[in-house]
Amino acid sequence: MALAKPSPTLYVSNLETKTKKPELKASLYSLFTPYGQVIDIVAKKHGGGRGQAFIVFAEQASATAALRGLSGELFYDKELSISYAKSPSNTTLSRQDPTLSREKAAMEAAKLVVSNAQGEYEQLEKEREADEAALRGEKRDLDTEENDGGEGRDSKRQKGNNEEEEEEEMELDDDEDEQDNHPSLICTNLPPECNSDIMSALFSQYTGFVSITSYTSPIPKSHPTPNKGSKSFLVKFDTAANSKKAEEETKGYLMQPGWEMGVSSK
């Protein structure tokens, strides 16, 4: 086998496709870690990534040793096909240059989201102040009419305002009900340094993403046993279909080695 363009990242194909992703990643880790420090494993069970994985070593020499030692090895009754990856992994790039790390990209994306939200908030505040000023002007007009003997008209307008306020309150209640009914994913066993900005950057790439909040309720039994000090989050989507797609593609995601993320529908 030609060993051109050595890399600390190995591309592994011809993998068994029926094994669940968490089990597959754990088995790959056990198989490759004797050759050196494995810092990341990327394996997908859907679409064009079926039966394939990327094994990222801390050192290139470890990757070379694993390639030579495991090529053709039987793994779940199938011969492994192993080669160097054509391009460096995100994990390798972030070790070489911290400015290229996923966390930094996530933080930059989060800052942009916060900046946009701040601008929208300021615009809403200006509109609210303008509405309040208009209401104050209308109230002054009503007071003038009352002094001129227009109590009847004032009472009628007040009744109309009360009806509008009741309608607004009903609309707000409806909005709150809609927010509570969003399909949600429970994400557990996240590292202590993980926050809502990083989680938002991860899930915002999926269609229908709505919001991220902390999750403090009991962890589902189907999730992996959480590490000490781990965090949990609740991720909301607009539809159950979009929520399900994100669940399938992120279940077992390694935020960092040893931190397998548990994901399930609420």
Side-chain angles (χ1 to χ4, degrees):
M1 176 180 290
L3 300 179
K5 297 181 180 179
S7 166
T9 301
L10 297 179
Y11 168 67
V12 183
S13 59
N14 198 37
L15 294 173
E16 199 276 329
T17 58
K18 295 181 180 179
T19 306
K20 291 187 178 297
K21 186 164 67 173
E23 178 186 341
L24 176 64
K25 294 178 74 171
S27 298
L28 286 170
Y29 184 85
S30 298
L31 182 66
F32 281 87
T33 196
Y35 294 90
Q37 182 185 2
V38 176
I39 59 176
D40 195 13
I41 295 177
V42 179
K44 291 187 176 181
K45 293 287 294 177
H46 302 279
R50 289 175 62 85
Q52 305 171 32
F54 291 90
I55 315 297
V56 186
F57 284 92
E59 302 293 338
Q60 178 185 305
S62 300
T64 299
L67 184 150
R68 291 172 175 170
L70 294 175
S71 290
E73 184 82 7
L74 284 179
F75 183 69
Y76 286 96
D77 297 325
K78 299 187 72 173
E79 289 189 5
L80 291 176
S81 176
I82 306 175
S83 61
Y84 291 118
K86 293 181 180 179
S87 58
S89 68
N90 288 330
T91 304
T92 301
L93 290 175
S94 66
R95 287 168 64 89
Q96 296 172 349
D97 183 357
T99 62
L100 299 177
S101 68
R102 288 180 178 177
E103 288 76 11
K104 181 173 178 61
M107 290 300 296
E108 292 299 325
K111 287 179 181 179
L112 179 60
V113 171
V114 171
S115 176
N116 292 339
Q118 181 64 26
E120 293 177 1
Y121 173 78
E122 291 175 354
Q123 180 62 32
L124 288 173
E125 281 294 294
K126 290 180 181 179
E127 293 176 358
R128 183 182 63 81
E129 291 174 358
D131 290 342
E132 290 180 351
L135 288 173
R136 286 195 295 270
E138 182 177 347
K139 187 176 183 303
R140 283 196 297 270
D141 293 340
L142 291 174
D143 291 341
T144 301
E145 291 181 8
E146 182 178 351
N147 293 334
D148 292 340
E151 290 89 348
R153 290 190 300 274
D154 178 70
S155 176
K156 187 175 182 180
R157 288 189 179 182
Q158 187 62 39
K159 181 179 179 181
N161 289 337
N162 290 339
E163 291 176 351
E164 290 178 0
E165 290 175 359
E166 290 176 358
E167 290 177 357
E168 290 176 358
E169 291 176 357
M170 291 176 63
E171 290 175 358
L172 288 174
D173 290 340
D174 290 341
D175 290 342
E176 292 175 356
D177 290 340
E178 289 177 2
Q179 293 176 2
D180 292 340
N181 290 332
H182 280 306
S184 303
L185 295 180
I186 300 171
C187 300
T188 63
N189 198 37
L190 280 309
E193 61 270 22
C194 187
N195 55 38
S196 57
D197 292 335
I198 292 176
M199 292 294 288
S200 294
L202 172 63
F203 280 95
S204 61
Q205 62 185 304
Y206 294 101
T207 302
F209 168 71
V210 175
S211 65
I212 295 276
T213 57
S214 296
Y215 179 77
T216 56
S217 299
I219 294 175
K221 294 181 180 179
S222 61
H223 285 216
T225 302
N227 294 335
K228 184 178 180 180
S230 65
K231 290 184 176 181
S232 300
F233 294 88
L234 191 67
V235 187
K236 295 184 178 182
F237 283 85
D238 58 352
T239 66
N242 288 331
S243 175
K244 185 64 175 177
K245 179 176 176 59
E247 175 187 355
E248 292 174 348
E249 297 191 5
T250 58
K251 183 175 292 186
Y253 179 82
L254 285 177
M255 189 65 72
Q256 63 186 45
W259 292 82
E260 178 187 325
M261 181 169 67
V263 184
S264 66
S265 298
K266 183 178 178 183

